[in-house]
Amino acid sequence: MEALGGGNGGFWGWNWELKRQKPYNCRSNVSKSSNTGVGGGYHFPLKQAVTAGSLALAGDGIAQVRDRWGNSERSKQRSILPSHDCTDEEHPVWAIFKEHDWLRALRMTSYGFLLYGPGSYAWYQYLDYCLPKQTAKNLMLKVLLNQIVLGPSVIAVVFAWNNLWQGKLSQLPGKYQKDALPTLLYGFRFWIPVSALNFWVVPLQARVAFMSTGSIFWNFCLSSTMNK
């Protein structure tokens, strides 16, 4: 994987198994594009984009419902009225959903559809091209690169996307300083084992779906962090 390394000994002095291969070149791999997904021009990965967008919507929806439910419970605890049995009319279930922030939901959905789905799919293609063999070393490298490249990129982009929609780009540096590093470190505990499983047993075509399913939990965390 000289493409990620460069120089003698490759990336961090590793001797890559692709050392004798030609550099990554989309045009030279057109004949292989049907099998590897590399080359032959760009094709928008609609399936992965729809999957990522839908699951981003689900994660944000869970976060919003959790927040409103918690606020409702705290309001009831602070109430000075005597305790009594609540009727459906006083506390209808639909009241949890009627104040749903659909603009916030659209922000997260558009991020998943336009950015995370296509971007992560291209990233997984590139990793599989550079490290095609299913060895323990390649697995560890994929997980490591996923955390130090994709993880920070996702947090940087989603924070910027959210602030752009809200017209608060001037507040973005402060948001990064306050929340980016804690969010990234917290994510390591979840994404390292999930990424290992993803690269080890999940085929390339299903990786965005698998990671996006895990992202229901992660989008819940991101949505809550961005909307403090």
Side-chain angles (χ1 to χ4, degrees):
M1 183 183 164
E2 290 291 329
L4 288 180
N8 295 327
F11 187 72
W12 293 338
W14 289 71
N15 292 318
W16 297 99
E17 294 169 356
L18 290 182
K19 187 175 181 180
R20 292 181 297 276
Q21 291 190 6
K22 295 180 180 180
Y24 180 75
N25 189 320
C26 289
R27 293 183 178 179
S28 66
N29 287 279
V30 172
S31 62
K32 300 179 182 180
S33 61
S34 60
N35 296 325
T36 63
V38 177
Y42 177 75
H43 300 283
F44 185 78
L46 181 61
K47 181 179 179 180
Q48 287 77 12
V50 170
T51 300
S54 300
L55 294 173
L57 175 63
D60 177 71
I62 294 171
Q64 290 201 45
V65 170
R66 192 285 306 265
D67 291 343
R68 287 196 297 275
W69 183 271
N71 292 336
S72 176
E73 291 298 313
R74 286 190 292 270
S75 296
K76 287 191 293 184
Q77 291 175 3
R78 291 194 299 267
S79 176
I80 62 173
L81 296 176
S83 175
H84 63 280
D85 294 333
C86 297
T87 65
D88 290 339
E89 183 176 340
E90 292 173 313
H91 298 284
V93 174
W94 60 266
I96 297 296
F97 297 92
K98 70 177 182 179
E99 297 178 359
H100 196 78
D101 187 346
W102 291 108
L103 183 59
R104 168 178 160 178
L106 181 59
R107 287 199 303 267
M108 291 301 296
T109 304
S110 62
Y111 157 75
F113 181 83
L114 296 173
L115 301 175
Y116 180 77
S120 60
Y121 182 63
W123 170 247
Y124 297 141
Q125 282 184 308
Y126 184 68
L127 284 182
D128 264 17
Y129 178 85
C130 295
L131 298 166
K133 295 184 179 180
Q134 286 288 76
T135 64
K137 183 178 76 173
N138 283 358
L139 172 65
M140 289 188 294
L141 286 169
K142 286 180 178 180
V143 172
L144 176 63
L145 290 170
N146 217 46
Q147 300 311 305
I148 66 176
V149 177
L150 185 63
S153 298
V154 165
I155 291 175
V157 170
V158 74
F159 278 21
W161 187 254
N162 186 68
N163 279 41
L164 176 64
W165 272 66
Q166 294 180 312
K168 299 179 179 179
L169 280 179
S170 61
Q171 300 177 16
L172 186 58
K175 188 68 174 175
Y176 283 148
Q177 185 176 10
K178 179 183 177 183
D179 294 322
L181 184 58
T183 303
L184 179 64
L185 295 178
Y186 183 79
F188 283 164
R189 292 182 287 176
F190 175 75
W191 283 117
I192 288 176
V194 172
S195 296
L197 184 62
N198 183 51
F199 289 123
W200 190 252
V201 300
V202 179
L204 175 63
Q205 294 79 4
R207 284 181 185 164
V208 171
F210 178 81
M211 295 294 277
S212 294
T213 301
S215 291
I216 291 179
F217 167 78
W218 185 237
N219 288 328
F220 165 81
C221 296
L222 283 179
S223 183
S224 299
T225 299
M226 290 186 300
N227 291 278
K228 287 180 178 178

